[in-house]
Amino acid sequence: MNTTPTPPALPDELLAVLKRMRLPYLRNAAPDVLATARAQRWDPAEVLRVLITEEIRGRDDATRRMRRRTAGLPAGKTFESWREHDSSIPPGTQTGLATLEWVGRAENLAIAGPSGTGKTHFVEALAHKVIDAGLRVSWFTLETLTAAIGRASVDGSVAKTIAKITRAELIVIDDIGMLPAGQAAGEAFYRVVDAAYERRSIAVTSNLHPSGFDTIMPKTLATATVDRLLHHAHVVLTEGTSLRLSEATAGRGVMPLN
């Protein structure tokens, strides 16, 4: 059986330098890269390029993993599992939103429609693309956003909390309207939308059209919030029956029992 020889270990002095310079991905790749470079007689500049590229790749991957953890995305749903043709969102709209150009322009997205029509899946898939593009995402439901702002109000750190949330290039507030919202929820929603206005993109999903948000929160707050939210927004309406219910009815919601 042919086996690939183990590349020789790096000298201790070089390892110490790489550790001090905090180059972990370059350090891990160096034995293989140097062995290949020696066998193929690479130019020194090529060796340097490949090693630095490995460090950049490793750091970028680590940053994306960290941003996925801190974003609070709900289910790990991406476009790989998205069924474009089963969605009532027009294909051209799906393609246009997936370019993320609207995020670069700090525009908003509001997706409204019946439960189970793919609103959250589509927005989460967009959020993963935003992170893959090197940007940040903050994901909330209206309830978790209200709780976060409520905790901050206890110790007087509301401004700091809002600033942290709006450091993300995309802020998602999911499932608005599933539960009644009162004064605290209306205030939390308004604070984030106002702070992000024309600076950051906000995506909301709801079973209600944004014009109906005044039915679940105080009218004055709802009017001011929706005014800012929709000023630079793409409004997408979904329709049809629940995809989850259709899968369940067809027996595709679970693995068959043996």
Side-chain angles (χ1 to χ4, degrees):
M1 180 181 294
N2 293 327
T3 59
T4 302
T6 302
L10 298 177
D12 291 342
E13 296 84 354
L14 179 55
L15 278 173
V17 169
L18 294 176
K19 288 180 179 178
R20 183 173 180 182
M21 295 297 294
R22 299 180 182 176
L23 300 171
Y25 307 103
L26 188 156
R27 185 173 74 244
N28 290 337
D32 287 325
V33 171
L34 292 176
T36 301
R38 187 179 299 113
Q40 298 184 6
R41 299 182 181 180
W42 285 4
D43 183 85
E46 178 66 8
V47 177
L48 188 60
R49 184 194 67 79
V50 171
L51 287 173
I52 292 175
T53 299
E54 280 298 307
E55 181 66 27
I56 292 171
R57 182 197 59 76
R59 292 188 182 195
D60 287 347
D61 288 346
T63 296
R64 283 191 288 268
R65 289 193 297 271
M66 180 271 293
R67 287 180 174 173
R68 280 189 169 84
R69 287 195 302 270
T70 58
L73 304 182
K77 292 182 177 179
T78 68
F79 280 118
E80 290 184 3
S81 59
W82 174 250
R83 301 200 300 267
E84 175 183 348
H85 299 294
D86 289 341
S87 173
S88 60
I89 302 173
T93 301
Q94 295 184 44
T95 301
L97 291 171
T99 67
L100 305 183
E101 292 178 1
W102 58 283
V103 177
R105 295 191 294 264
E107 296 170 352
N108 298 329
L109 171 64
I111 303 185
S115 178
T117 52
K119 303 183 299 294
T120 297
H121 187 157
F122 185 68
V123 172
E124 186 178 359
L126 289 173
H128 279 286
K129 284 204 71 171
V130 168
I131 292 172
D132 287 338
L135 306 176
R136 294 158 294 190
V137 174
S138 291
W139 185 289
F140 298 92
T141 63
L142 186 56
E143 289 72 36
T144 60
L145 178 65
T146 304
I149 302 301
R151 288 192 298 270
S153 65
V154 173
D155 60 12
S157 62
V158 171
K160 182 178 179 180
T161 299
I162 295 293
K164 181 179 179 181
I165 292 171
T166 55
R167 280 201 292 269
E169 283 81 8
L170 175 63
I171 303 156
V172 179
I173 306 172
D174 188 33
D175 271 346
I176 297 173
M178 295 302 293
L179 296 171
Q183 182 75 22
E187 289 181 5
F189 190 27
Y190 171 77
R191 284 178 183 274
V192 171
V193 171
D194 183 55
Y197 179 62
E198 296 187 329
R199 295 179 51 248
R200 293 288 189 260
S201 290
I202 292 181
V204 300
T205 70
S206 178
N207 60 325
L208 299 171
H209 189 283
S211 62
F213 285 175
D214 60 357
T215 64
I216 60 167
M217 64 182 67
K219 184 176 179 65
T220 301
L221 282 170
T223 300
T225 302
V226 171
D227 179 64
R228 290 161 175 77
L229 178 69
L230 296 188
H231 184 204
H232 307 292
H234 304 272
V235 179
V236 178
L237 304 180
T238 62
E239 58 186 20
T241 59
S242 169
L243 298 176
R244 289 188 291 265
L245 183 59
S246 297
E247 285 192 346
T249 303
R252 296 195 301 270
V254 294
M255 294 291 291
L257 298 173
N258 293 326

